[in-house]
Structure formats: structure tokens, C-alpha cells
Amino acid sequence: MQEIWYVFKDDKLLLCRSSEPRLLTSCDVGALSGLLINKGTVVIGDRDKGKVINEFWGEMAHNAAVPGNMITMGLREVGSAFGEEVFYKAARAFQLMKWYGHHLFCMSCGGRLKPSPFDNGKICPFCGAIFYPPVTPAIIVAVEREGKILLARNANFPPGRYSVIAGFVEPGESFEDAVRREVKEEVSVEVKNIRYFGSQPWPFPHTIMVGFTAQWASGEIKPDGREILDARWFAPDELPDIPSGISISRKLIDHFRQYNI
Ligand SMILES: [Zn+2]
């Protein structure tokens, strides 16, 4: 079985430069020997002895030159160019690369961690604490009112871009609590009928986006002016510039459009 290598330099994925860019295989990685500062296997769950491992991650030194037969590509572009399946695999490799290469010390006692032989955990040999790769939940919600969708312009978006409301889940909150709080905080609107839509790993840097639909309950839009600069109700045939590609935000907006045109 062919081995695939997800090698990153400055958080971008290395690809082989050919007529169409392609993922690196074990043959290509030979050219990178000496340039990788970290490498490991892409395995999820228990490290059973019988598990077939044919995917690997690697990290190139910041100051190393990318070989002439290779290019680098940001993970979002990888999603657009190669589709969802490759995006998720590259995202998984990216998060493991960050975990193994950058979380080196125990948060309890400061001791240097050792990898667990059983899974992706790390064990502190000094105090016995065990750590696992971080996964941070964030909610994302499409709010509908009388056939229109609530889209907001975040201060970090490119000019003209609008999207659905999103935000991180805080300690002690259910996902539904977080949906209600984020919509209220960002645009002063109350929502009801919150329904699960789907989820998506989003490796920037280690988020799991949990998508919902909801309906407007009360209140008029008032952007918080800090995170959200503008927000409006949009009819399906008059949508502004919205996220492209494979993001769950786009899927939520497409879902709204499908059922409201
Ligand atoms: Zn410790």
C-alpha cells in the first residue's frame, strides 16, 4: 500500500509539483531527509499492533528551503483543490504534527512529556499526568427568520464577506447554550428551535465546528461593533459574498438556500 506523507512547512502542506500538484509519497520524502525536524505516524485511537499505518506527518524546519520539485499550499486551499476527504486527512496530520512537535512539557509540573505507547496521549514521567491532543468545540449556527438568513460580517473577514454566526463553547455550557449566548452577544437576537445540523473538524488550530440551525425568536439585529461590524437578514436570492469551499458555514448557507428558494 502506498505511503502518504503530510509534510508541513510554516503550517502549509508540501505537494509535489507536477502537471497537477499531488500529495507526497515515501519516494518523495527521501529528498527531505535532514530537513524534517519532527515526524510521526497518523493514527487515531488505540495503537493496536495490527493497525495498518500508511500515513505519516512531518514538519520542515522554518529556515529550510522547499525543494524545487515541490510547492506549499495552505490547508484551506488543499480543501478546495483536493476535496473534503484529503482536507480531513491533512487536517488530522496537521493537528498531530502540532501536538507532537509543540506540546512538550507537563502542564502540572513542567516535566518533559513522553509519548504514550498505546495512543496519541503523552505521559509525564515525573507526576504521572496524562495529556491528549486538544480538540476545542465551537458552535456555528444558521438563524432563519421568515425565509431570510442571518449573516454577519466579522471584523476579520475580507471586505464584503458575510457568514453565519460562530463562537467557542465555554466551560459548563451545552452546545445549545453556546448557540443562544453567541447569537445574543454578537447581534442581540434571541433564537428558538435549535436543531443539530452536522459537524466538521477545523484545524485552525484544533477546533471541531458543531453546526446548528435555529429560528429567530425575538429582538432586532444590533451588531456588537467589536467582533461583528454588520449583520442583516438576507433572502436566498440576494446573498452577499459568502465563504466558498468545503466549510460547514457554506454548507449551512447552501442548506438554507436549498429549502428557501
Ligand atoms: Zn508532570
Side-chain angles (χ1 to χ4, degrees):
M1 196 183 294
Q2 192 172 48
E3 293 181 353
I4 300 294
W5 276 78
Y6 301 93
V7 177
F8 297 89
K9 177 172 188 291
D10 298 333
D11 293 352
K12 291 186 169 184
L13 183 67
L14 262 72
L15 298 167
C16 242
R17 191 199 288 274
S18 51
S19 54
E20 294 284 326
R22 62 166 177 79
L23 297 172
L24 303 191
T25 66
S26 45
C27 308
D28 307 311
V29 169
L32 298 174
S33 69
L35 301 177
L36 298 184
I37 51 174
N38 287 305
K39 60 183 176 181
T41 53
V42 179
V43 179
I44 286 295
D46 290 342
R47 287 181 181 270
D48 294 340
K49 292 245 175 356
K51 220 169 220 175
V52 176
I53 298 172
N54 63 343
E55 294 181 313
F56 301 83
W57 59 264
E59 181 177 16
M60 259 182 91
H62 171 66
N63 56 1
V66 175
N69 64 334
M70 295 182 191
I71 57 168
T72 61
M73 187 182 277
L75 276 176
R76 287 180 176 82
E77 289 73 34
V78 168
S80 305
F82 291 89
E84 221 163 330
E85 191 181 341
V86 171
F87 171 75
Y88 290 139
K89 288 183 171 184
R92 172 178 293 174
F94 178 74
Q95 289 180 72
L96 291 175
M97 182 268 288
K98 287 287 186 190
W99 168 243
Y100 279 103
H102 299 254
H103 289 77
L104 303 177
F105 298 99
C106 175
M107 282 196 288
S108 298
C109 76
R112 183 173 272 275
L113 298 172
K114 290 194 166 171
S116 160
F118 308 112
D119 51 31
N120 281 320
K122 287 189 178 189
I123 300 167
C124 176
F126 302 97
C127 75
I130 302 175
F131 301 91
Y132 286 93
V135 177
T136 306
I139 60 87
I140 183 160
V141 56
V143 182
E144 184 261 339
R145 179 184 187 179
E146 294 160 4
K148 294 187 172 185
I149 186 171
L150 173 63
L151 297 178
R153 212 172 89 62
N154 190 291
N156 298 320
F157 285 174
R161 169 72 51 84
Y162 284 74
S163 188
V164 288
I165 299 283
F168 289 106
V169 180
E170 300 217 355
E173 278 188 316
S174 67
F175 292 146
E176 291 83 354
D177 290 339
V179 166
R180 279 185 283 269
R181 177 183 53 76
E182 284 290 343
V183 178
K184 179 76 178 167
E185 280 179 358
E186 296 195 349
V187 294
S188 277
V189 163
E190 307 272 358
V191 296
K192 63 182 180 183
N193 296 338
I194 299 168
R195 298 274 181 274
Y196 178 67
F197 175 79
S199 66
Q200 179 177 57
W202 197 242
F204 308 105
H206 41 67
T207 305
I208 173 85
M209 303 299 302
V210 190
F212 293 88
T213 60
Q215 287 181 308
W216 172 84
S218 65
E220 296 306 321
I221 291 174
K222 189 172 163 232
D224 68 5
R226 186 176 54 89
E227 200 172 335
I228 301 297
L229 303 181
D230 184 33
R232 303 176 203 177
W233 300 105
F234 289 94
D237 57 354
E238 55 183 29
L239 294 180
D241 178 33
I242 55 174
S244 59
I246 60 166
S247 64
I248 194 169
S249 53
R250 180 55 183 257
K251 289 179 181 177
L252 278 162
I253 296 169
D254 285 347
H255 178 262
F256 158 77
R257 194 154 42 181
Q258 187 183 345
Y259 288 100
N260 285 280
I261 272 186

